[in-house]
Amino acid sequence: MCGIVGAVAQRAVSGILLEGLRRLEYRGYDSAGLAVFEGEQIHRLRRAGKVENLTHAEQETPLKGHSGIAHTRWATHGKPTENNAHPHMSGDDLAIVHNGIIENFEPLKHQLQQDGFVFTSDTDTEVIAHLVARAVNQGKNLQEAFLETVSQLEGAFALGVLHKDYPDQILASRKGSPLVVGIGIGENFIASDQMALLQVTDRFIYLEEGDFVQVTPDEVMIWDANLEIVDRPVKKFEHSLSAADKGEFRHFMMKEIYEQPEVVKATLQGRISDKHLLEQAFGSEAASVFDQTQHVQIIACGTSFHAGLVAKYWLEDLAGIPCSIEVASEYRYRKHVIPANTLFVTISQSGETADTLAALRAVKDKVLASLTVCNVPGSSLVRESDLCLMTNAGPEIGVASTKAFTTQLVALLMLTVALARRHGLTEQQETDIVEALHKLPGLLLAAVKLDKEIEILSQDFAEKNHSLFLGRGPLYPVAMEGALKLKEISYIHAEAYAAGELKHGPLALVDKEMPVVAVAPNNALLDKLKANLQEVKARGGELFVFAGADHVKPEDGLKVEQMPDVPEILEPIVYTIPLQLLSYHVAVLKGTDVDQPRNLAKSVTVE
Ligand code: HGA
């Protein structure tokens, strides 16, 4: 996804900007550009493709100015061409970089065209440049013009602005997309994330939603969303807490479980506004693909397959679109009937999963379009799919997937909304889902806080050799994922069943040596599930139930772990957390190699 870097200094900044862009390359992008003051003028350079192309262009015409902004773009509006690359300018006076999506760019563009502004790109971003310029032409100072512009924008954005009459100043703002301020000595910076600036500083201000900031070499002034001047703390970046470092945690897996509230926030950033999904986040061609989609085929392996199973429930329920799902290793080796207008969705943490990639290659020419939900930018699945939605979970080191799974679910829920809004999802229903998504990081945090209680619960599993996991509806795949997690890292045999299937076989196994785990949120299927739990209890089974507040009462042979109240649509995401914690603690008690369980590899690039 695209990245922003900006610098105001007493030395040439183009090297700092280019190095910053290189450090943001991991996010994935399709073109790059920068704008730097040269004398009294703003000089702009842009290139399609890699930052390297931009670096070569800059070497041919070196830029020596002391302030500038730069950008790597991942196209949402308009093709990934040089012409659509950022920065965008209004005349020669003003340059702007933007990360995000402006939902209402069409009416704004129309107005600006009527006022005589000529557009030179297909992006939504260009309206921002002209809006600021128009307000300046009307006599406002740059700050007033920028504030007025920001107040007109709907959607998600992080912005950086450079104006010819304010040579040592960058204005910036964020709403829905990330932005940090880097603090130097006699120089200051902005960037989409701190990684871009670690070459020049380790002190950062993390801007909050709606913040507006004026950055000069000697001063950083911040206004909050109510336009009150605010003092945000400067935090020192601890190098020791890099992605490849366990920090305070004993294992990567635990670190990654705890990261989920934050990474889910990153998955949502720039993809939802206060009330709506910003579906262009799937790519500039997404709208026309979604318009034509009449069937979804999901292909994945392992944990990603479980995420796909949840998505099938969502897609058929909310969008009313038929959805088929299959593991890649089966799908790739059989003949298939592909219905007309099939959107082919692959899910993979690494983007290199061999079977999934082979399945994509086998059907690519026979489907309407392919879309991947993936965590690694630039990976094969991302490169070879027509559309993608990155999960933004950051590097996942623990072999047993945790944060990749929950962020995949978030991405798939966004896909569901994009399709469902074409098939009868009302605006109010969409708003309800989006508002629930805004609450999701907080709910995940509440679930992670059950850690200590679940650690105690895990003692009942350490001596067992077998276990059953039960769920119903979209919680059935969550039970499957819980069973997989326990198998992977504790080596305890675990099987998951749709709770209604119990009496068709597995009940024969139940006795006091067979712990039974149930995920039982307070939804329409709870009463049915409770009946299944009684079937287990009557056979002397030991039950562990994760349930909503006071809906399942503890009794003999039935331990209840009380979960936070969760909007129904989010239950599969939040109820995953206690199952991850349970597996982790059981594995620690058993003394296994939690992060690198025997016989398993992280990125399955072979058949
Ligand atoms: N909408 C802008 C910026 C895209 C972006 O933030 N990508 O991650 C464009 O299409 O140029």
Side-chain angles (χ1 to χ4, degrees):
M1 303 301 100
C2 58
I4 288 176
V5 189
V8 275
Q10 284 152 17
R11 53 176 167 154
V13 292
S14 49
I16 298 172
L17 298 177
L18 287 164
E19 175 59 20
L21 293 186
R22 264 192 296 277
R23 288 167 179 253
L24 292 176
E25 282 189 303
Y26 76 95
R27 299 157 73 99
Y29 67 101
D30 49 51
S31 52
L34 52 74
V36 173
F37 266 100
E38 280 301 284
E40 313 249 291
Q41 301 297 325
I42 296 177
H43 195 105
R44 172 173 67 166
L45 270 181
R46 298 179 295 170
R47 288 294 179 269
K50 295 283 159 206
V51 171
E52 205 186 331
N53 301 347
L54 184 67
T55 306
H56 288 316
E58 198 272 337
Q59 281 161 353
E60 279 162 26
T61 29
L63 298 171
K64 304 220 167 54
H66 292 188
S67 46
I69 50 179
H71 189 264
T72 46
R73 172 173 189 250
W74 186 82
T76 65
H77 294 65
K79 295 200 162 27
T81 55
E82 179 169 321
N83 213 38
N84 286 331
H86 301 210
H88 287 287
M89 297 189 69
S90 188
D92 294 331
D93 291 356
L94 179 143
I96 186 158
V97 285
H98 164 222
N99 182 186
I101 288 166
I102 304 305
E103 269 185 300
N104 59 336
F105 86 99
E106 272 166 337
L108 293 172
K109 184 169 177 174
H110 187 65
Q111 255 175 36
L112 286 159
Q113 282 170 325
Q114 283 184 334
D115 289 351
F117 285 89
V118 176
F119 281 74
T120 58
S121 79
D122 308 317
T123 63
D124 50 341
T125 303
E126 195 178 344
V127 295
I128 311 173
H130 295 313
L131 283 173
V132 181
R134 184 173 67 181
V136 171
N137 294 347
Q138 288 164 349
K140 307 209 162 66
N141 68 34
L142 182 61
Q143 211 182 82
E144 291 163 350
F146 186 51
L147 282 176
E148 180 185 289
T149 299
V150 165
S151 72
Q152 290 170 269
L153 304 178
E154 288 166 20
F157 50 82
L159 298 168
V161 178
L162 205 60
H163 192 282
K164 187 163 149 278
D165 297 338
Y166 303 80
D168 55 4
Q169 186 183 117
I170 293 174
L171 295 184
S173 181
R174 67 155 285 198
K175 183 175 165 236
S177 293
L179 198 67
V180 301
V181 178
I183 308 293
I185 298 168
E187 54 188 20
N188 290 309
F189 313 91
I190 58 166
S192 302
D193 82 37
Q194 69 246 0
M195 302 305 278
L197 299 174
L198 289 178
Q199 30 141 357
V200 280
T201 184
D202 60 359
R203 292 185 305 137
F204 296 97
I205 296 173
Y206 297 91
L207 295 177
E208 299 203 355
E209 279 294 278
D211 277 357
F212 163 78
V213 53
Q214 178 185 308
V215 182
T216 64
D218 304 308
E219 196 178 28
V220 172
M221 286 184 64
I222 303 174
W223 291 260
D224 67 10
N226 302 320
L227 298 186
E228 307 281 343
I229 292 203
V230 279
D231 212 4
R232 300 250 180 262
V234 177
K235 297 196 174 147
K236 201 162 152 60
F237 179 76
E238 299 297 341
H239 288 267
S240 63
L241 263 185
S242 71
D245 197 309
K246 292 197 275 274
E248 68 195 81
F249 296 97
R250 190 165 153 199
H251 297 101
F252 281 110
M253 182 179 174
M254 195 52 149
K255 175 178 176 238
E256 288 157 6
I257 290 174
Y258 270 73
E259 277 172 358
Q260 288 175 109
E262 275 310 306
V263 295
V264 159
K265 215 185 269 175
T267 311
L268 292 169
Q269 262 178 349
R271 277 92 179 256
I272 52 174
S273 64
D274 294 344
K275 293 184 182 318
H276 295 123
L277 170 78
L278 305 173
E279 70 177 27
Q280 296 88 344
F282 286 89
S284 51
E285 311 297 321
S288 90
V289 170
F290 295 158
D291 284 347
Q292 297 169 67
T293 300
Q294 281 169 6
H295 169 245
V296 176
Q297 172 70 60
I298 301 179
I299 293 295
C301 305
T303 289
S304 302
F305 175 68
H306 297 150
L309 283 172
V310 175
K312 177 180 164 72
Y313 282 90
W314 284 336
L315 280 163
E316 297 205 345
D317 183 14
L318 289 171
I321 296 179
C323 173
S324 318
I325 169 155
E326 192 167 336
V327 287
S329 52
E330 284 299 311
Y331 188 84
R332 65 179 288 197
Y333 287 119
R334 67 177 186 86
K335 287 199 180 142
H336 1 78
V337 181
I338 301 175
N341 293 323
T342 291
L343 175 63
F344 190 80
V345 176
T346 56
I347 311 170
S348 162
Q349 189 284 131
S350 66
E352 304 295 345
T353 314
D355 285 323
T356 310
L357 197 53
L360 169 66
R361 288 174 181 159
V363 300
K364 218 177 150 173
D365 300 333
K366 302 180 197 144
V367 296
L368 168 68
S370 54
L371 182 154
T372 191
V373 170
C374 185
N375 195 37
V376 179
S379 60
S380 302
L381 278 173
V382 171
R383 289 197 311 274
E384 295 185 31
S385 300
D386 302 312
L387 306 173
C388 74
L389 194 66
M390 303 309 303
T391 45
N392 294 348
E396 189 177 65
I397 312 288
V399 167
S401 184
T402 52
K403 61 178 181 170
F405 178 69
T406 42
T407 52
Q408 283 168 351
L409 288 177
V410 171
L412 290 163
L413 184 51
M414 291 194 276
L415 173 65
T416 303
V417 172
L419 291 169
R421 50 159 62 151
R422 290 163 166 81
H423 295 268
L425 189 81
T426 63
E427 186 146 347
Q428 187 55 50
Q429 284 172 309
E430 173 168 339
T431 300
D432 290 346
I433 296 173
V434 169
E435 286 177 352
L437 281 169
H438 280 293
K439 292 190 194 124
L440 182 57
L443 293 167
L444 291 171
L445 190 62
V448 166
K449 286 191 177 151
L450 299 175
D451 186 15
K452 287 284 163 263
E453 292 171 33
I454 293 174
E455 185 175 1
I456 296 168
L457 208 70
S458 67
Q459 290 164 2
D460 291 328
F461 285 74
E463 301 303 323
K464 301 289 194 281
N465 295 315
H466 306 275
S467 61
L468 278 180
F469 283 68
L470 303 178
R472 274 183 172 262
L475 275 297
Y476 167 41
V478 169
M480 293 169 81
E481 175 57 13
L484 178 66
K485 235 29 28 172
L486 193 68
K487 270 186 273 217
E488 281 178 312
I489 59 170
S490 76
Y491 316 146
I492 292 177
H493 171 221
E495 279 193 75
Y497 277 90
E501 278 294 289
L502 206 56
K503 53 186 158 305
H504 297 287
L507 206 50
L509 294 171
V510 169
D511 63 14
K512 64 178 180 15
E513 289 309 310
M514 174 75 104
V516 179
V517 178
V519 271
N522 180 30
N523 59 29
L525 295 174
L526 181 60
D527 286 337
K528 300 262 174 237
L529 185 70
K530 277 181 173 171
N532 304 136
L533 300 185
Q534 287 307 324
E535 293 163 8
V536 173
K537 228 190 108 202
R539 272 97 192 154
E542 207 180 343
L543 271 161
F544 298 84
V545 183
F546 295 93
D550 299 327
H551 295 292
V552 180
K553 301 263 179 270
E555 48 182 290
D556 258 4
L558 193 152
K559 290 193 181 161
V560 180
E561 185 61 51
Q562 194 166 310
M563 294 288 293
D565 268 333
V566 181
E568 189 167 340
I569 190 76
L570 302 183
E571 285 167 358
I573 310 175
V574 179
Y575 275 70
T576 295
I577 307 287
L579 302 188
Q580 295 171 343
L581 288 166
L582 179 67
S583 313
Y584 174 81
H585 287 298
V586 175
V588 169
L589 282 176
K590 294 199 74 172
T592 61
D593 188 347
V594 173
D595 284 331
Q596 288 175 348
R598 67 186 183 201
N599 308 338
L600 300 179
K602 183 70 192 160
S603 175
V604 187
T605 53
V606 292
E607 270 191 61

